[in-house]
Amino acid sequence: MPGHFLTSEQVIFFQENGYLTVNNLVPPGEIEQYKTLYEDFLSGRINTGANRSDLGAGLGKSGAKENITQIMWPSDFAPQLMSMPFHERALAISRELIGADAEMDFDMLINKAPHTDTPTPWHQDEAYWLSLPDKRAASCWLALDPATVDNGCMWFVPASNQKEVRPHRFAGPKGGALMCDAGEEEGIPVELSPGSCTFHTGRTLHYSRGNSTGEQRRAFIINFRPQSMIAYERARGFDHGRQNAADRKLQNQEFNQLP
Ligand SMILES: O=C(O)CCC(=O)C(=O)O
């Protein structure tokens, strides 16, 4: 693994604007294995039980089973992910962005199925988290498909990481999605090719449009923060929805080839 992925200009851009694009993190020759695994998650071949939910519950009109599919902790069910290129490279980059003490806090899959047309409401991730004494955090959002404005690429509000957390409220009558007041006129969309990614801080305002196309919009996300803050969260019972993992690991033993 090379010592440095980023230039000092990229690190400064992230610090000032609260987000950064990194192209070709997972090159074409390596991305196929992620697509295969992702389909095993979406199809239910890997049973993720209560770790799977609809982030867009009550927000969509398409009648789809899930408006926005969210699966927490895929690496609990497919532990081989931890030593595969995405997790290793994203961790190395996050250490360049927020410090050498960064570790993975959690990972997740967020898919927008064809024609589900459900935006992810504007929010700042900090609104979902415990109030931590050390707020350094970086989330890596990897595109498995071309991410476009029309299928729900990420939008960021530049320099919102340098301002306060806006007041958040529940986005709909059911489900846990939060939202705050913000609009596209403040933000910029970041379209990505498969294998490219963005990093954003916990304070950065972001959102994505719904998927109005006939193709999937599959994203694989990993969040990193200082190891001491992960310990702080866990001591308070905060683990980003890591439910039933031990049971599911057993159920998926054959698939995962666990000892
Ligand atoms: O994929 C999306 O639409 C939203 C992702 C997101 O909010 C995040 O990664 O923090």
Side-chain angles (χ1 to χ4, degrees):
M1 202 188 310
H4 290 284
F5 284 90
L6 303 179
T7 62
S8 54
E9 288 78 15
Q10 285 176 301
V11 176
I12 290 167
F13 184 94
F14 176 80
Q15 288 166 348
E16 290 182 346
N17 292 284
Y19 72 96
L20 177 73
T21 303
V22 176
N23 287 318
N24 219 22
L25 182 75
V26 181
E30 293 176 343
I31 201 76
E32 285 308 317
Q33 59 189 331
Y34 288 97
K35 290 185 180 174
T36 303
L37 200 48
Y38 210 109
E39 287 313 307
D40 286 331
F41 279 107
L42 286 181
S43 68
R45 191 162 115 77
I46 302 179
N47 176 7
T48 50
N51 282 32
R52 179 170 181 154
S53 65
D54 184 1
L55 180 63
L59 303 181
K61 299 185 184 66
S62 70
K65 185 165 69 80
E66 291 152 343
N67 294 295
I68 305 173
T69 303
Q70 181 172 31
I71 296 174
M72 301 306 296
W73 289 96
S75 60
D76 266 355
F77 303 95
Q80 66 272 30
L81 281 164
M82 294 303 294
S83 53
M84 285 167 61
F86 174 43
H87 284 65
E88 291 200 339
R89 287 174 203 154
L91 174 62
I93 291 174
S94 76
R95 289 178 173 162
E96 293 183 46
L97 291 172
I98 63 167
D101 55 348
E103 296 289 352
M104 183 179 104
D105 188 359
F106 63 95
D107 57 0
M108 63 178 168
L109 311 178
I110 299 186
N111 182 48
K112 296 195 175 195
H115 301 298
T116 39
D117 283 315
T118 309
T120 305
W122 283 102
H123 68 280
Q124 291 154 292
D125 294 337
E126 276 186 25
Y128 280 91
W129 300 337
L130 285 184
S131 177
L132 298 172
D134 181 342
K135 301 202 185 306
R136 286 178 292 143
S139 287
C140 180
W141 193 101
L142 176 78
L144 266 61
D145 305 292
T148 65
V149 168
D150 289 340
N151 74 6
C153 71
M154 292 279 268
W155 292 61
F156 299 102
V157 176
S160 51
N161 59 311
Q162 301 193 44
K163 302 198 175 129
E164 294 306 303
V165 180
R166 296 186 186 180
H168 282 66
R169 57 190 182 276
F170 284 110
K174 54 180 183 170
L178 298 176
M179 66 174 290
C180 65
D181 291 331
E184 286 188 359
E185 65 286 353
E186 298 178 79
I188 59 153
V190 181
E191 296 194 319
L192 296 171
S193 54
S196 293
C197 66
T198 54
F199 285 81
H200 65 271
T201 79
R203 186 64 67 93
T204 310
L205 261 168
H206 58 282
Y207 137 99
S208 64
R209 284 189 190 175
N211 182 0
S212 59
T213 76
E215 309 294 329
Q216 308 262 39
R217 191 234 62 178
R218 291 170 290 187
F220 201 146
I221 298 148
I222 313 178
N223 176 268
F224 302 94
R225 70 180 72 250
Q227 196 282 328
S228 60
M229 292 299 100
I230 298 172
Y232 183 100
E233 290 179 323
R234 298 296 186 273
R236 286 156 184 80
F238 196 81
D239 62 5
H240 305 276
R242 195 176 200 175
Q243 300 170 47
N244 301 331
D247 293 348
R248 299 298 164 204
K249 258 187 203 162
L250 286 177
Q251 285 186 19
N252 289 304
Q253 194 160 358
E254 193 181 340
F255 179 84
N256 290 327
Q257 297 174 329
L258 290 172

